[in-house]
Amino acid sequence: MDPANFARFETTIPGRSGGPCGGKDYGIALFSKQPLGPADRFTLPYDGNEPRHLLCAPLKSRPQLRFCTVHATFVDAYRATQLKAIFGHVDDYRADGDQVILAGDFNVGPDWARMDPYYSAQVNTPNNRNNTGHYREVDDADPVYCTGYGETTEEGAGGGGPCGIGGKIDMIFSHEDDYVASASTGDARSSPHSCGGKSCSDHRILVGLLTLGH
């Protein structure tokens, strides 16, 4: 709708020779069909490997509807502290009356104990139990693949995960008080193989339809 206002970007690793993006900045991004408002950029606890950030922006026309994205650490000693920071910022938005959609690569599975304080207690299946939190994920009610967990997002993964179909580390969350389960769905699709004949990512593409109530 507005070619000059459709994206927000947060640099994680500045462009350099030999860097991960051919000399260009590497980071996380939000893209929106509708114009975005001012972005908030939160630095997460440093994991000793790579700077990590949470990037959030509201719709310009609906400033109390915010979208956030993150690429959390794979360094196990810092997973819990980064998750606490991520969901803490989202909780702060909610305390101000905002609705938030949080998406990204969390580098943890829905059934991991580190996710129990954040994943909704409404989700209690053999594949994802002991949750005490308040956030629902678009794929956690999938009746086909792995109920309570969802479809694998690891490209080319063999077994793994509670259902043996591969791990899920990419997720799209909203608060259970906003989440309309009957009208929200998720689907993981294969990445394109147009990068020199190889897959363009080691992740599958997670697509979600998330319906929020009032």
Side-chain angles (χ1 to χ4, degrees):
M1 293 174 61
D2 183 351
N5 184 11
F6 69 94
R8 297 291 182 269
F9 183 78
E10 178 62 21
T11 299
T12 299
I13 300 176
R16 64 173 186 266
S17 177
C21 286
K24 298 181 179 180
D25 288 349
Y26 166 88
I28 55 176
L30 285 169
F31 297 91
S32 174
K33 289 183 178 181
Q34 297 187 40
L36 293 168
D40 290 330
R41 306 161 192 273
F42 302 102
T43 299
L44 301 179
Y46 184 53
D47 62 2
N49 176 264
E50 173 185 318
R52 305 278 179 171
H53 302 90
L54 175 68
L55 175 65
C56 301
L59 288 183
K60 185 177 180 180
S61 61
R62 294 180 61 186
Q64 288 190 299
L65 175 59
R66 294 182 179 272
F67 297 87
C68 295
T69 189
V70 72
H71 182 192
T73 185
F74 59 82
V75 180
D76 194 59
Y78 289 89
R79 281 186 167 118
T81 55
Q82 286 200 1
L83 287 170
K84 183 177 180 180
I86 292 164
F87 283 94
H89 289 304
V90 176
D91 284 339
D92 288 343
Y93 282 135
R94 283 195 47 79
D96 290 336
D98 294 349
Q99 291 182 311
V100 182
I101 296 173
L102 168 65
D105 175 0
F106 290 82
N107 268 311
V108 294
D111 61 333
W112 287 33
R114 294 169 186 81
M115 283 298 298
D116 290 348
Y118 313 107
Y119 221 110
S120 173
Q122 294 177 358
V123 179
N124 184 20
T125 75
N127 310 313
N128 185 6
R129 63 184 77 189
N130 300 321
N131 299 307
T132 59
H134 300 283
Y135 289 88
R136 292 290 303 271
E137 204 272 322
V138 295
D139 206 22
D140 66 27
D142 191 320
V144 176
Y145 289 98
C146 195
T147 303
Y149 185 87
E151 193 174 356
T152 179
T153 62
E154 295 179 342
E155 187 69 56
C163 296
I165 59 174
K168 180 182 178 68
I169 55 177
D170 305 276
M171 291 169 269
I172 305 172
F173 285 103
S174 70
H175 196 277
E176 62 188 6
D177 291 347
D178 301 324
Y179 181 81
V180 181
S182 61
S184 299
T185 59
D187 184 36
R189 304 174 183 176
S190 293
S191 295
H193 283 68
S194 54
C195 298
K198 299 179 181 180
S199 177
C200 294
S201 176
D202 58 352
H203 292 247
R204 303 181 76 199
I205 301 168
L206 180 62
V207 179
L209 171 63
L210 203 161
T211 301
L212 301 179
H214 297 285

